Amino acid sequence: MTLLTQHIRVTGIVQGVGFRPFVWRLAQQLGLTGWVRNDAQGVEILAQGGQSALSEMLVRLRTDAPPLARVDGVQAQDLVAEPFAAFSIIASQSGQAATAIGPDVAVCDECLAELFDPSSRRHRHAFITCTHCGPRFTVTRALPYDRPQTSMAAFPLCPACSSEYTAPADRRFHAETTCCPQCGPRLNLSDAQGQTLTGDPITQTLRLLQSGGIVAIKGLGGFHLACDARKADAVARLRFRKNREAKPFAVMLANVASVAPYAQVSETEGTLLASRERPIVLLRTQAGCDAALPGVAPGLQRLGVMLPATPIHFLLFHEAAGRPAGTAWLDQPQALVLVMTSANPGGEPIVRDTAEAHTRLAGIADALLDHDRDIVARCDDSVLQVAAGATQFIRRSRGVAPAAMALRQAGASVLAFGSHMKNTVCVTRGHDAFLSPHIGSLDNAASCQFQDETVQRLCDLLDVKPKLVAHDLHPDDYSTRAAVAYAQRHGLPTLAVQHHHAHIAAVCAEHGWQGPLLGLALDGVGLGSDGTAWGGELLRVDGAHFARLGHLRPLPMPGADRAAREPWRMAAAVLHALGRNAEIVPRCQDPAASTVAAMLARQFNCPRTSSMGRVFDAAASLLGLSHTLAYEAQAAMLLEQAATQHIQAHGWADPMPNGYLISASAAISQLDLLPVLDALIDARDVGHAAAVFHATLVAALTDWVLQAANTTGLTTLAWGGGCFLNALLTSQLRQNMEGQGIRVLAPRLTTPGDGSIALGQAWVACLAPPSASALA
């Protein structure tokens, strides 16, 4: 046999996922010699053997890769080298990073079997992990992904763990987070004053929860605030302490079987819940859910549910089940239901370390279930829903971010600072875009600092030195000011990207779309290129360029931004636009109603907006569903819920005849929804009226897009913006569009909301000609 040698380069998510052990085992099976190692670009292999064995290795590096790996490229080059006696794993090599780190994932089945096996040396070890599961992104300080570059560096391997770590046949072979009770980390339960509470931390934590206490529990990307969801007083106390009047809480249950008493679970939703990403999934509630879980999701028919992700979570449910041996109990319904909400007072970033927890959670948590493994990066929970059978991100974060998304267009590295609301940031490197975990709305100093921290961490971790900085068009947003300041510090050009252009661009980026298309952007607000507040936009998008083809009829916002928090003001604006100003005071019944009526009459402090979000607010208030928001998008959610209840009982309503108008003469078309809003004012059946509003809106948008398609000749539509989280809107509009021969591109890997804006900004910047940087 002729001995051949190949140098092989594997790129993608190939560190921290057991790729080197996989390569070692593959080499043993194929009779190859040589070596494998991590380096800054991914995994490097030198393999010697026969032609057929080398060819099979190249194929199986893709087809048989470990479950957490994502292989983007396998490149091989023939070499001349001295013969090797065996195949080995050698020390990693540093350099300029071109690889990526995978996201955190839940405990695997093999580790769970050890966790609940009384004969295992890792029985009830709260940090059990292996090559196929556990933390990655949140413990990694730098690449290559090796233990000394993670927060596990503080815990030297004991002899037994070291033996596993160096045994090629073991699944912990080169698993950087390997540990056991002897190595550490270790749990600690302390009271609000920081005094350690004696006894087993898991046992004592469960006792506190079952007695009505609120416990801050350290997870993968930060702390959760937990209480017993079945105890009304505990939930009410958590709401009061966290100043969270009505916004729904998520709950954690032991398994899918335990969800049945509270929510309906489809096969798709069950798969999502049990996936290794362990997101929060919004589920339709069962009758009696409010009574069983009082105060958890008040007035809503959707419940956010998640399953245990970390060994700590599993141990709490195991304790509540009576500590059974084995894993059979994991398939059986369990009674314990825990509120599990991010530990972040007042919309601030999630708390990640002990010092922060004792300071920022003072007066909220009765105790802290903590440990001594540092969380290097904050990472909140991902949130998903299933709409019309398709999975839709509401928040893309833990378990998913910052996994790279492939870009068809490669160019100089871009750093995009995202939007003001639901902020994320994005870094591009070659053909990859790395969208950060959820940062949040930049309304407070802590969130702004978190954005700064995330920018620096992503650039450092990916070893990227940006060449261009992209940001929103709004000059006063913190994200814009931070972007400009960063660019000035580093001597970089900037590019301002209009908000709704970025929404559509994000969809184009993830679909790899090239060429022009129609874009439908429906959201709350974004500064338009004409200086006004946009939010209901029909666009023509062609890479770095866009044109506004149409918009919703602008409505005044009495009190400006205050109108976004008080839907009754938008109802007043509709009454004014209909010439029914005299009805504002008696209908709105707010102490400020007369003042608002006067403001509208004089057009004082009433900036106009084409926002679809404000139209939803107006409709909800006109129907008496919501007049003042307790949390963002509450009015729109209640309007959709009312329509959904009616549709479930009676089927889809017919759209209102003549319920909308589309201007035909203007160069930029205008969609006027005042006729259907007028019909809501005196509606007696709220559910039916809400259903008619949705049906009319879908008909109006369909007509509007088809007219633009006929005019432009474009037959592909991309849509984005937070209004597309409305399942009724997305399902029916897609059906209408595809029925009329329009191809629809919708967000799949990202949210339609503002969490995807940074990706869109980065995509536009990658496509923009060099001179475009002067625009900012």
Side-chain angles (χ1 to χ4, degrees), residues 571 574 614-625 639 677 680 693:
V574 168
R614 301 294 77 79
V615 171
F616 276 116
D617 287 348
S621 183
L622 290 170
L623 290 175
L625 293 167
L639 181 68
L677 291 171
L680 302 182
F693 171 80

Side-chain angles (χ1 to χ4, degrees), residues 573-713:
V574 168
L575 290 168
H576 172 79
L578 291 167
R580 301 172 67 167
N581 232 56
E583 299 178 40
I584 291 175
V585 173
R587 284 185 179 275
C588 293
Q589 296 183 347
D590 187 277
S594 60
T595 301
V596 164
M599 290 167 61
L600 286 163
R602 295 168 52 205
Q603 288 299 293
F604 172 74
N605 194 21
C606 292
R608 301 176 74 78
T609 180
S610 58
S611 166
M612 186 70 238
R614 301 294 77 79
V615 171
F616 276 116
D617 287 348
S621 183
L622 290 170
L623 290 175
L625 293 167
S626 176
H627 300 303
T628 302
L629 299 185
Y631 52 89
E632 186 187 2
Q634 182 184 26
M637 290 168 62
L638 293 174
L639 181 68
E640 181 188 1
Q641 179 172 290
T644 301
Q645 288 175 298
H646 178 86
I647 291 167
Q648 287 175 336
H650 305 286
W652 264 89
D654 292 327
M656 175 185 163
N658 304 313
Y660 60 92
L661 300 169
I662 300 175
S663 64
S665 57
I668 297 179
S669 68
Q670 180 173 276
L671 174 60
D672 185 355
L673 296 170
L674 276 181
V676 70
L677 291 171
D678 190 10
L680 302 182
I681 296 171
D682 297 309
R684 295 190 177 184
D685 185 333
V686 171
H688 177 257
V692 169
F693 171 80
H694 278 81
T696 305
L697 174 61
V698 169
L701 293 172
T702 301
D703 195 1
W704 198 28
V705 170
L706 289 177
Q707 288 189 27
N710 289 334
T711 301
T712 63

Side-chain angles (χ1 to χ4, degrees), residues 1-22:
M1 179 184 71
T2 302
L3 186 67
L4 302 175
T5 305
Q6 286 189 330
H7 177 265
I8 302 170
R9 159 75 57 207
V10 186
T11 56
I13 299 177
V14 290
Q15 294 189 14
V17 295
F19 208 89
R20 289 171 298 167
F22 154 68

Side-chain angles (χ1 to χ4, degrees), residues 287-313:
C289 179
D290 270 351
L293 306 177
V296 169
L300 297 178
Q301 290 190 317
R302 304 289 292 278
L303 179 68
V305 176
M306 62 192 302
L307 302 187
T310 72
I312 295 172
H313 297 148

Side-chain angles (χ1 to χ4, degrees), residues 71-225:
V71 177
D72 293 339
V74 177
Q75 296 179 327
Q77 183 179 5
D78 292 334
L79 294 177
V80 176
E82 293 297 318
F84 287 88
F87 195 93
S88 58
I89 294 178
I90 64 174
S92 298
Q93 187 175 54
S94 59
Q96 184 175 13
T99 188
I101 188 65
D104 303 336
V105 294
V107 194
C108 70
D109 290 344
E110 290 173 293
C111 281
L112 286 176
E114 288 182 82
L115 185 65
F116 302 123
D117 179 0
S119 66
S120 167
R121 70 187 187 90
R122 291 188 175 88
H123 180 234
R124 293 181 60 80
H125 177 50
F127 307 94
I128 192 168
T129 181
C130 74
T131 302
H132 306 305
C133 68
R136 295 291 188 277
F137 173 70
T138 59
V139 298
T140 302
R141 302 189 192 280
L143 295 175
Y145 175 73
D146 288 320
R147 192 179 183 95
Q149 306 212 86
T150 72
S151 57
M152 292 301 293
F155 306 98
L157 292 172
C158 70
C161 285
S162 183
S163 176
E164 293 171 336
Y165 183 83
T166 54
D170 197 284
R171 81 175 193 281
R172 293 191 173 90
F173 186 38
H174 285 262
E176 309 304 347
T177 50
T178 295
C179 60
C180 74
Q182 184 175 340
C183 303
R186 292 174 178 82
L187 285 175
N188 179 67
L189 179 66
S190 61
D191 62 20
Q193 288 71 46
Q195 297 298 311
T196 296
L197 300 176
T198 58
D200 178 87
I202 294 294
T203 303
Q204 295 299 92
T205 296
L206 182 65
R207 182 186 61 78
L208 284 170
L209 293 169
Q210 292 178 329
S211 63
I214 298 168
V215 182
I217 299 174
K218 194 172 186 180
L220 288 171
F223 282 81
H224 287 100
L225 288 167

